[in-house]
Amino acid sequence: MLNLLRGLLSIAPFLFISMAASVSHPSTVTIKNNNPLIYYHGRWDSSPGTWWASSGFKLNVLNLKSLSLNLGAHTTSPAASIGISIDESDWVTANATEGTNVIPIPRATADKILGSSVVKINVEGWQNNRINLESLVLNSDAVLLPYEPSKLTFQFIGDSLSAGQYLPEGVNQAWPFLVGEHFKAEFRVNAQPGAALTDILSYGNVHGVSYQFFRTEDTGFYYTTDHNLTTPWDFSREHPKNTHIVIHIGANDASQGVSNDVFVQVYSDFIARLRDLNPIQPLFVFTPWGWPNADGSIGYYYDGQYQKIVDDRKALGDHNVFLVNTTGWVTYADVFPDNQHPNVNGHIKIANEFIAWLAKWGLSA
């Protein structure tokens, strides 16, 4: 018996260490998708899942060493392209799939001793852009802090020319995204390739932007098997509220033969609905930069009609609507030859032109 007791005493320290290890904190901590410290932006349904290019979320994390996303079944199969930026690093693209997705943490962030890190993640695609966030997994000693959004918030509304169609990194290389990033602003990009503003069938879009903008889902809802419906978007979920609204649309209305008078009426009615939500915010109406051709000519549409739309609003007493004349902003060198959409450098050029226009107008970061 004495020998047995001595034996137990001799291994007691190891038993204690083993028991301590078994009750120690796990190496990771799981954050549920309903945690109020996750800052969601863009359009998310109740699953929660993304709709519209650029939708995503932001985190403010103290002592960030590791991060994974657990994504559910509504995530685009086989993958959805997401953009990732941590501590204002250059954006990188990753393919997100259903299941666990490990997000690479920059060495400078992992080695950080003081201060928190801001993580930005968004969907890049103008289609196939759904991620279904179930939870986040952080290192166990990480602390999730409130994210403090910018007081400057852009709302961009448009079609393929704003959604980044055909760009390698989608909306993250499109001019609205570049403008928002330049001003260190929050921003929402509700732009649907192929869609007219008028609520008509256009290039596979069953609704126009004048309808779809007020729904949670983009027009891709029509082609999904798990969510073939639309739900009204609750604008009270948008924090902070818009400070500036930018609209560039009309190319697909012209392609579908919508007349000048009908287009002006639809656009004017759309602005009136926006004004119910954004009564006094500056609203910028882009004229078309047109379709550049190899011979140097440019095909324009709705000539003079955008000026009429702005003038009609001012006649109603709305003096915070501004025409942005984009004539000459885009040449044939700035577009993909096979589809005349702006290429990567073309979007950079458009962004710089608008940034300069806004600076002259009086906006600073």
Side-chain angles (χ1 to χ4, degrees):
M1 178 65 70
L2 183 59
N3 288 336
L4 176 60
L5 180 59
R6 286 173 177 170
L8 288 172
L9 290 174
S10 67
I11 65 171
F14 300 99
L15 288 172
F16 177 78
I17 293 172
S18 177
M19 292 173 63
S22 68
V23 298
S24 65
H25 295 294
S27 59
T28 60
V29 60
T30 299
I31 308 294
K32 299 266 184 84
N33 57 25
N34 60 356
N35 190 300
L37 295 179
I38 300 174
Y39 177 80
Y40 288 100
H41 62 83
R43 304 278 173 95
W44 291 75
D45 63 30
S46 59
S47 61
T50 53
W51 297 90
W52 301 89
S54 83
S55 295
F57 63 91
K58 296 172 182 175
L59 307 170
N60 186 17
V61 188
L62 185 66
N63 196 35
L64 177 63
K65 300 293 186 290
S66 66
L67 170 63
S68 296
L69 314 182
N70 290 328
L71 302 182
H74 295 174
T75 301
T76 295
S77 178
S81 294
I82 62 172
I84 305 164
S85 175
I86 301 177
D87 284 332
E88 301 300 326
S89 65
D90 290 341
W91 287 84
V92 296
T93 299
N95 288 326
T97 62
E98 180 183 355
T100 300
N101 298 261
V102 177
I103 304 301
I105 306 299
R107 180 64 181 270
T109 295
D111 291 344
K112 185 185 290 187
I113 298 175
L114 298 175
S116 61
S117 298
V118 172
V119 179
K120 302 177 183 179
I121 294 177
N122 74 309
V123 290
E124 295 180 347
W126 59 91
Q127 60 185 8
N128 301 323
N129 53 15
R130 300 176 66 196
I131 60 171
N132 173 201
L133 183 63
E134 293 186 335
S135 62
L136 308 168
V137 180
L138 298 169
N139 48 292
S140 62
D141 53 346
V143 179
L144 202 56
L145 303 173
Y147 170 79
E148 185 67 29
S150 171
K151 291 180 173 58
L152 185 64
T153 304
F154 286 98
Q155 171 67 72
F156 296 98
I157 303 170
D159 50 32
S160 60
L161 301 174
S162 301
Q165 188 172 20
Y166 306 120
L167 298 177
E169 297 172 16
V171 73
N172 284 37
Q173 291 178 309
W175 66 269
F177 195 92
L178 301 177
V179 170
E181 288 283 281
H182 171 83
F183 285 102
K184 301 186 184 304
E186 308 301 331
F187 51 92
R188 308 173 182 106
V189 184
N190 291 89
Q192 192 65 46
L197 178 63
T198 310
D199 190 18
I200 56 175
L201 179 66
S202 178
Y203 299 110
N205 294 281
V206 294
H207 284 292
V209 172
S210 61
Y211 170 89
Q212 206 69 45
F213 177 77
F214 300 96
R215 320 309 281 182
T216 302
E217 300 80 6
D218 58 47
T219 57
F221 82 91
Y222 184 76
Y223 302 97
T224 63
T225 57
D226 63 295
H227 194 103
N228 197 328
L229 55 96
T230 65
T231 54
W233 174 243
D234 180 2
F235 286 92
S236 69
R237 293 172 59 182
E238 295 184 349
H239 298 287
K241 298 300 183 184
N242 300 322
T243 60
H244 299 77
I245 303 166
V246 185
I247 310 174
H248 179 47
I249 203 164
N252 297 306
D253 297 79
S255 297
Q256 299 297 339
V258 176
S259 69
N260 285 358
D261 289 346
V262 170
F263 181 69
V264 169
Q265 187 63 57
V266 169
Y267 206 131
S268 298
D269 292 345
F270 183 60
I271 291 179
R273 291 191 69 185
L274 291 178
R275 276 297 185 229
D276 289 340
L277 299 164
N278 309 273
I280 60 172
Q281 289 84 340
L283 193 153
F284 305 98
V285 174
F286 273 40
T287 68
W289 54 67
W291 300 109
N293 300 301
D295 63 4
S297 64
I298 296 179
Y300 290 104
Y301 45 89
Y302 296 129
D303 186 37
Q305 302 309 303
Y306 294 88
Q307 182 69 63
K308 184 178 188 325
I309 291 163
V310 172
D311 290 345
D312 288 350
R313 285 300 306 176
K314 289 184 176 179
L316 293 172
D318 186 351
H319 297 290
N320 225 10
V321 179
F322 304 91
L323 188 74
V324 180
N325 187 348
T326 67
T327 303
W329 283 16
V330 180
T331 67
Y332 189 68
D334 304 318
V335 301
F336 295 110
D338 56 344
N339 56 53
Q340 296 177 296
H341 285 67
N343 54 32
V344 173
N345 289 332
H347 277 276
I348 293 172
K349 183 178 177 183
I350 295 164
N352 287 336
E353 290 279 5
F354 189 41
I355 289 167
W357 192 98
L358 286 171
K360 187 176 180 180
W361 177 80
L363 185 65
S364 58

